[in-house]
PDB file of all heavy atoms in Angstrom:
ATOM      1  N   ARG T  43     142.029   5.701 113.002  1.00  0.00           N
ATOM      2  CA  ARG T  43     143.121   6.634 113.198  1.00  0.00           C
ATOM      3  C   ARG T  43     144.194   6.549 112.126  1.00  0.00           C
ATOM      4  O   ARG T  43     145.028   7.428 112.012  1.00  0.00           O
ATOM      5  CB  ARG T  43     143.713   6.458 114.614  1.00  0.00           C
ATOM      6  CG  ARG T  43     142.779   6.941 115.697  1.00  0.00           C
ATOM      7  CD  ARG T  43     143.161   6.369 117.076  1.00  0.00           C
ATOM      8  NE  ARG T  43     142.632   5.017 117.287  1.00  0.00           N
ATOM      9  CZ  ARG T  43     142.701   4.332 118.429  1.00  0.00           C
ATOM     10  NH1 ARG T  43     143.316   4.904 119.457  1.00  0.00           N
ATOM     11  NH2 ARG T  43     142.214   3.123 118.528  1.00  0.00           N
ATOM     12  N   LYS T  50     143.110  -2.141 109.380  1.00  0.00           N
ATOM     13  CA  LYS T  50     144.289  -1.860 110.247  1.00  0.00           C
ATOM     14  C   LYS T  50     145.238  -3.035 110.374  1.00  0.00           C
ATOM     15  O   LYS T  50     146.441  -2.907 110.191  1.00  0.00           O
ATOM     16  CB  LYS T  50     143.808  -1.421 111.613  1.00  0.00           C
ATOM     17  CG  LYS T  50     144.925  -1.465 112.687  1.00  0.00           C
ATOM     18  CD  LYS T  50     144.789  -0.469 113.770  1.00  0.00           C
ATOM     19  CE  LYS T  50     143.856  -0.874 114.855  1.00  0.00           C
ATOM     20  NZ  LYS T  50     143.971   0.026 116.020  1.00  0.00           N
ATOM     21  N   SER T 129     145.604  -8.452 121.059  1.00  0.00           N
ATOM     22  CA  SER T 129     145.157  -7.426 120.151  1.00  0.00           C
ATOM     23  C   SER T 129     145.873  -7.603 118.815  1.00  0.00           C
ATOM     24  O   SER T 129     147.095  -7.718 118.767  1.00  0.00           O
ATOM     25  CB  SER T 129     145.491  -6.031 120.685  1.00  0.00           C
ATOM     26  OG  SER T 129     144.599  -5.738 121.732  1.00  0.00           O
ATOM     27  N   ASP T 131     146.505  -5.548 116.703  1.00  0.00           N
ATOM     28  CA  ASP T 131     147.291  -4.373 116.288  1.00  0.00           C
ATOM     29  C   ASP T 131     148.542  -4.170 117.154  1.00  0.00           C
ATOM     30  O   ASP T 131     149.133  -3.120 117.121  1.00  0.00           O
ATOM     31  CB  ASP T 131     146.413  -3.125 116.262  1.00  0.00           C
ATOM     32  CG  ASP T 131     145.947  -2.718 117.652  1.00  0.00           C
ATOM     33  OD1 ASP T 131     146.018  -3.518 118.592  1.00  0.00           O
ATOM     34  OD2 ASP T 131     145.445  -1.569 117.816  1.00  0.00           O
ATOM     35  N   GLY T 256     151.120  -0.657 120.632  1.00  0.00           N
ATOM     36  CA  GLY T 256     150.105  -0.890 119.638  1.00  0.00           C
ATOM     37  C   GLY T 256     150.254   0.132 118.503  1.00  0.00           C
ATOM     38  O   GLY T 256     150.780   1.212 118.661  1.00  0.00           O
ATOM     39  N   GLY T 257     149.790  -0.246 117.311  1.00  0.00           N
ATOM     40  CA  GLY T 257     149.892   0.638 116.178  1.00  0.00           C
ATOM     41  C   GLY T 257     148.565   1.228 115.814  1.00  0.00           C
ATOM     42  O   GLY T 257     147.840   0.682 114.970  1.00  0.00           O
ATOM     43  N   ASN T 258     148.195   2.296 116.445  1.00  0.00           N
ATOM     44  CA  ASN T 258     146.898   2.953 116.141  1.00  0.00           C
ATOM     45  C   ASN T 258     147.065   4.045 115.063  1.00  0.00           C
ATOM     46  O   ASN T 258     146.100   4.371 114.378  1.00  0.00           O
ATOM     47  CB  ASN T 258     146.311   3.596 117.381  1.00  0.00           C
ATOM     48  CG  ASN T 258     145.912   2.560 118.433  1.00  0.00           C
ATOM     49  OD1 ASN T 258     145.413   1.498 118.074  1.00  0.00           O
ATOM     50  ND2 ASN T 258     146.181   2.855 119.663  1.00  0.00           N
TER      51      ASN T 258
HETATM   52 CA1  LIG B 519     144.941  -0.350 119.686  1.00  0.00          CA
END
Side-chain angles (χ1 to χ4, degrees):
R43 288 162 278 186
K50 164 150 83 168
S129 286
D131 65 345
N258 293 321

